[in-house]
Each structure stands twice: as C-alpha cells, then as structure tokens.
C-alpha cells in the first residue's frame, strides 16, 4: 500500500492508550484492530478476518510456539521454587550467615548479588533484598538504601547479561522485525544500553562511597543499628525468640534452588554453542532458553519432591499457578509480534524514515526514541510492555535509513528500563520495596534522583552516538 501518515496510527494508539489506561493488552489489541482497519478499509468483514488471521498466524507459528512455552515454563519454575518452600529455605540459610561486618561490605554484597544472580529481575531482587536486609538492620543502613541498590542493580544487569527470559523476549521481537543475525545484533546493542550501564555503575559508586543525594540523606541519617535478635509474637501476644528452622531442610532447600539457578546460567550458553555448531552468536537463542528453563524446572520439581517440602500433587499445582501468573506476559508477546507484523505491512518504518529525512537530524533520533520509551515505561510500569511497543517502531526506522539497528534497539530497551525503574507502578519497584521491607513511596522518592541522573547521562550519550552514525 502507498506510504501514508496513517501507518503511524496503530503504534501511536498502542502507546497513547497504554499510557492513559496502563493496560498494555488492551492497547495492543486496539493497535491490531486499527491496523487491520487501515489495511482492509472499507470492508468490515475483511477487517475482522484480518484480525483473526494475523493473530492466529502469529499464535501457531512454529518458531513462536517455543517462546510461548518457555515463557510459561519460567513461571512454573519460580512457582515451584517459591510455593514449594525451597526458596524460603534458601533465604533462611543465607540469613544465618554473618560474613559481612562493615557497612561498605554490606552494600557491596548487595551489589555483587545483583550482578551475579542475573536470571530474572524479580527473582534477583527477592534474593538480594531478603538476604541483605538482616545485615543492613544489624549495621544501621537504611532499608531505602537497600531498596535502591537492589532495584538499580538487578533490573539493569538482567538486560545487560541477557541469558534469561528478558533476553529471549527481546531477541524474539528483534528477529520478528526481519533483522539479519538477530542474536549478533542484540549482543552489539548491549554496548549502547547506556541507561542500564550507568545505573549499574552509579549503584556501584553509591555502594562503595555511600553517596547520598536527595531524600536518601534523611533516611541514612535516621538509620540506627539493630542488635536485638529476631522475635515473633506468641498466641498471647507476647514477644519471644523466633523458632529455629530445621538445619537439614535449610541445606537441602538451598541445594535445590542453587541447582536450578546454576543450571539456567550454564545451560543457555551451552545450548547456544550446541545449536550454533560451536559458534555462540550463531546459536538458536529461543531454543537454548527453552531447554535451559525446562531443565531447571525438572531439577526444581525433583528437588522439591526429594526434600519433602511438598507432595507431587502440590508441586504440579504450584507449577500451574506459576505458569498462570506469567500468562499475561506470553499474551503481550503474542500481540506485540502480531502488531509488529502489521506495522511492517503498513510501511510504518519506511514512512517514518521518509518523513524524518531532512526534517529531523540523525543525532536526534536516538534521544527521541529513548525519551519516548522512557515516558511509555514510566506510565505503564512495564518494561516488557515498553519493549513490545517500541522495538517494532524503532527497528524499521534504522533499517529504512540504512543505519545500524543495534543503537536503535538499545535506545528503545534502555528507555524502557529507565521508565520502569522510575515508575511507582512498576512491578520491579514494588517488589524491591517489599523485599527490602520499606515503604513503597519512600523507595520511589529516594531512588528517583539517582534514576534521573542516570537517565540524563543516557540521553546525552545517545545524542553523541547519533552524531557519530
């Protein structure tokens, strides 16, 4: 069809509707319907058939089927670990260790945990937050400082070391845009993911030098050491020392969690080598993550049964509950791939490239994409949803202008991380507050100055990168 400004409408509708309603699913559905209206106008029946055909084709595509199953698999994995009790045993075991005796060591321990455990942002946050909190309380470090280091490190590192669901999610979106060697291009984009890089480095700076800005100064000033042992209330309301956990169960639960997480870390690069005939960047990323997740799930199920933490029926129930909880993510991915295919048919990327040619300087494109992605991520509180909306818009612009796709991919992803990081309605922000045991709004306000500082640095870096293209 002839290129027209109307080709922008489906993507714009998805962005604006998602911002206003914070409902990514409805925004993507609206974009799909509008795209088919533009393709088949003025035939209502053809429009309806187009909606069903485009969605159905994406759903049953053999390559996409692996994505749906590994997405549900990772939900099942963490459902078994969390509900089955082994994760709680793992956390209790770590809480008993007192390897850290100074404030700097405590802050650095949290930062290192966030870097090393890069499997999934929310899981990393829970591990780092719950294991560090007793140490912070004992040494007199504010829980707001803990929440900031946990949130800034865990979410950012998961996108910089994408051997996880985030990596496979974005790799699928990139490949769906027709990018040649999508895995290699995705790896190249990591060097341009400026917000994530700056956020991790800034968290390291804060952890080492205890640099406090904005509201964080007040919370750090008011933090006092807590040397009293943990206590619980009995049936009469009186406080007494908490029960001592079974040491044998703590040890067995720890090994189950470690085996599952380590298998995830090891299996992804191993399978990339296998599927790539010895060449990592030529491996099948989706298949590799799929095999790694179900290997870890198998280990988690067997380990949970072996420790006696739960019976077979309960383990199956926990796996199904975990898969159900993550089902919306699989649906978002499905709809985003569908919308991305429709925008290509409409020629959105080609039109944008023609419209921007000569009217917007090249150096401005990357900052614009970064800021738009940040606004979207902040408003909807979902980095996944932002990736789904922004990548199908950013990549065609680069390809149409004959520019490398990696910086544009990075700008869209980096903006989504920034917006999600600063958003008070983000799941990672909320979980960081819960894991650290702090008031949610306190975490939001103490973290925001650091996020804005890293965001400003990223905007400047994208402008410089754009000038060099």
């Amino acid at each position: 069809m002839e290129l027209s400004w109307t080709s922008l409408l489906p993507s714009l509708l998805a962005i604006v509707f998602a911002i206003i309603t914070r409902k990514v699913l409805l925004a993507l559905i609206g974009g799909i319907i509008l795209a088919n209206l533009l393709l088949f106008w003025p035939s209502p029946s053809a429009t309806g058939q187009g909606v069903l055909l485009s969605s159905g084709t994406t759903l049953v595509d053999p390559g996409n089927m692996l994505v749906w199953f590994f997405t549900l698999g990772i939900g099942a994995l963490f459902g078994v670990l969390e509900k089955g009790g082994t994760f709680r045993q793992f956390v209790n075991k770590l809480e008993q260790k007192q390897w850290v005796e100074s404030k700097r060591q405590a802050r650095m321990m949290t930062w290192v945990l966030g870097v090393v455990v890069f499997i999934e942002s929310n899981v990393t946050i829970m591990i780092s937050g719950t294991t560090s909190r007793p140490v912070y309380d004992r040494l007199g470090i504010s829980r707001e400082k803990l929440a900031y280091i946990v949130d800034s490190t865990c979410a950012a590192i998961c996108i910089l070391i994408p051997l996880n669901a985030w990596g496979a999610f974005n790799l699928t979106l990139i490949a769906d845009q027709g990018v040649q060697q999508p895995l290699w291009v995705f790896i190249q984009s990591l060097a341009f993911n400026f917000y994530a890089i700056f956020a991790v480095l800034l968290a390291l700076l804060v952890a080492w030098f205890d640099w406090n800005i904005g509201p964080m100064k007040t919370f750090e000033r008011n933090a006092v050491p807590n040397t009293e042992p943990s206590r619980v209330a009995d049936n009469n309301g009186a406080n007494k020392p908490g029960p001592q956990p079974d040491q044998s169960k703590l040890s067995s639960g720890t090994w189950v969690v470690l085996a599952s997480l380590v298998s995830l870390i090891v299996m992804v690069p191993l399978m990339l080598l296998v599927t790539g005939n010895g060449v990592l960047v030529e491996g099948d990323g989706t298949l590799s993550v799929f095999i790694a997740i179900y290997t870890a799930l198998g280990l988690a199920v067997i380990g949970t049964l072996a420790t006696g933490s739960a019976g077979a029926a309960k383990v199956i129930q926990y796996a199904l509950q975990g898969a159900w909880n993550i089902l919306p993510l699989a649906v978002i991915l499905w709809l985003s791939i569908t919308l991305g295919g429709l925008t290509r048919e409409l020629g959105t990327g080609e039109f944008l490239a023609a419209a921007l040619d000569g009217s917007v300087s090249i150096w401005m494109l990357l900052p614009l994409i970064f800021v738009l992605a940040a606004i979207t991520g902040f408003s909807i509180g979902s980095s996944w949803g932002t990736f789904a909306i922004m990548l199908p818009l950013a990549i065609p612009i680069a390809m149409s202008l004959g520019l490398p796709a990696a910086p544009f991919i990075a700008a869209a992803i980096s903006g989504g991380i920034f917006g999600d990081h600063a958003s008070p309605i983000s799941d990672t922000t909320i979980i960081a507050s819960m894991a650290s045991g702090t008031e949610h709004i306190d975490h939001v306000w103490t973290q925001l100055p650091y996020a804005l500082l890293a965001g400003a640095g990223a905007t400047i870096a994208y402008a410089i990168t754009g000038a060099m293209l």
Side-chain angles (χ1 to χ4, degrees), residues 296-335:
L297 176 59
L299 290 174
V301 169
I302 294 171
T304 302
L305 292 173
T307 60
S309 300
K314 281 293 184 181
V315 169
I316 294 174
Q317 178 184 342
Y318 298 150
L320 292 176
Q321 286 177 346
W324 177 260
N325 290 337
I326 208 169
L327 181 62
L329 173 58
V331 176
I332 286 175
L333 182 56
W334 165 38
L335 297 177

Side-chain angles (χ1 to χ4, degrees), residues 125 146-156 420-421 428-430 432-433 443 447:
I125 287 172
L146 170 61
Y148 160 69
I149 297 177
V150 163
D151 203 352
S152 297
T153 305
C154 298
D420 179 76
H421 190 200
T428 53
T429 307
I430 294 169
S433 303
H443 169 46
Q447 176 168 264

Side-chain angles (χ1 to χ4, degrees), residues 139-356:
L139 296 174
I141 309 173
S142 71
R143 291 183 175 183
E144 288 71 23
K145 175 66 66 64
L146 170 61
Y148 160 69
I149 297 177
V150 163
D151 203 352
S152 297
T153 305
C154 298
I157 207 68
C158 283
I159 205 66
L160 291 174
I161 308 179
L163 301 176
N164 46 44
W166 273 21
F169 181 89
N170 287 316
L171 184 61
T172 302
L173 294 175
I174 293 167
D176 189 62
Q177 295 303 309
V179 175
Q180 297 297 318
Q181 293 185 309
L183 178 59
W184 175 240
V185 173
F186 185 32
I187 292 173
Q188 289 178 315
S189 75
L190 301 179
F192 299 98
N193 205 321
F194 295 124
Y195 178 79
I197 294 171
F198 293 165
V200 171
L201 293 178
L202 184 58
L204 174 60
L205 180 68
V206 171
W208 186 262
F209 293 104
D210 194 23
W211 185 39
N212 301 307
I213 59 176
M216 188 70 78
K217 293 180 180 178
T218 302
F219 287 98
E220 279 293 284
R221 191 183 308 118
N222 295 334
V224 294
N226 180 10
T227 58
E228 294 184 6
S230 176
R231 304 180 74 85
V232 296
D234 61 17
N235 293 332
N236 298 321
N239 287 334
K240 63 179 183 179
Q244 295 299 314
D246 188 324
Q247 294 297 319
S248 61
K249 284 190 174 182
L250 292 187
S251 298
S252 59
T254 298
W255 282 111
V256 171
V257 175
L258 287 176
S260 300
L261 297 183
V262 169
S263 71
L264 271 178
I265 297 172
V266 172
M267 286 298 295
V268 173
L270 178 63
M271 292 309 304
L272 285 173
L273 286 172
V274 171
T275 57
N277 295 318
V279 182
L280 188 72
V281 297
E282 293 182 3
D284 189 328
T286 304
L287 178 61
S288 299
V289 174
F290 174 86
I291 293 174
I293 288 172
Y294 278 91
T295 300
L297 176 59
L299 290 174
V301 169
I302 294 171
T304 302
L305 292 173
T307 60
S309 300
K314 281 293 184 181
V315 169
I316 294 174
Q317 178 184 342
Y318 298 150
L320 292 176
Q321 286 177 346
W324 177 260
N325 290 337
I326 208 169
L327 181 62
L329 173 58
V331 176
I332 286 175
L333 182 56
W334 165 38
L335 297 177
S336 68
I337 292 176
T338 302
L339 180 58
L342 292 170
T343 57
R344 285 201 305 276
E345 289 187 47
L346 290 167
T348 304
E350 291 84 350
F351 173 78
L352 277 174
L356 294 173

